[in-house]
Amino acid sequence: MTEYTVLLPEYHPKQEAFVYAHEKRIVVKAGRRGGKTVGVGGRAVERFLDGARVLYATPTAEQIGRFWSTVTTALADPIRDGIYAKNETEHTIELVGTEQRIKAKTAWNADTLRGDYGDE
């Protein structure tokens, strides 16, 4: 298998607390620009690399941008090498032929999440 680099963000101590948390449910209370989205993006990549199916849902499409930037930057090498397939329109990165993927989507009401699921 080809070696590739994953460029995860450097986490500050408050981000590390939730990025590496093992609890089933995590609540992050932080102000604007506190690193929540970047931390969650890094966590999503780490869980994805462990074989998880990650679903990131947010109320508005604008909020997907920073998350998507973090995820695609981290996985740029394996995406470029064809290890993972990226779909910019659907905001998905997946290991083709498996359930392993990262998906970012809006969730402005419960119906927008119907039929989808994630381990994380």
Side-chain angles (χ1 to χ4, degrees):
M1 185 167 194
T2 306
E3 289 280 328
Y4 58 85
T5 304
V6 175
L7 301 171
L8 291 169
E10 286 188 35
Y11 306 120
H12 59 67
K14 297 288 185 179
Q15 286 173 310
E16 285 179 350
F18 68 85
V19 169
Y20 298 116
H22 297 290
E23 290 77 16
K24 184 175 182 176
R25 291 179 176 74
I26 302 164
V27 175
V28 179
K29 181 181 176 186
R32 294 182 48 163
R33 310 224 8 108
K36 300 177 297 291
T37 303
V38 171
V40 169
R43 180 182 172 94
V45 169
E46 294 195 42
R47 295 283 290 130
F48 171 74
L49 294 174
D50 288 339
R53 181 179 174 105
V54 178
L55 176 61
Y56 177 77
T58 185
T60 66
E62 290 83 18
Q63 290 172 296
I64 290 174
R66 186 65 183 123
F67 172 84
W68 191 244
S69 175
T70 300
V71 168
T72 56
T73 298
L75 296 172
D77 282 355
I79 290 168
R80 183 197 64 236
D81 294 343
I83 296 167
Y84 300 123
K86 176 177 77 166
N87 183 319
E88 286 285 347
T89 303
E90 295 290 326
H91 291 107
T92 60
I93 297 172
E94 64 182 357
L95 181 58
V96 178
T98 70
E99 296 279 317
Q100 183 181 350
R101 77 165 191 207
I102 296 174
K103 181 169 187 168
K105 65 190 297 185
T106 56
W108 56 274
N109 70 34
D111 289 336
T112 61
L113 293 176
R114 290 194 189 280
D116 214 338
Y117 74 95
D119 303 314
E120 175 81 5

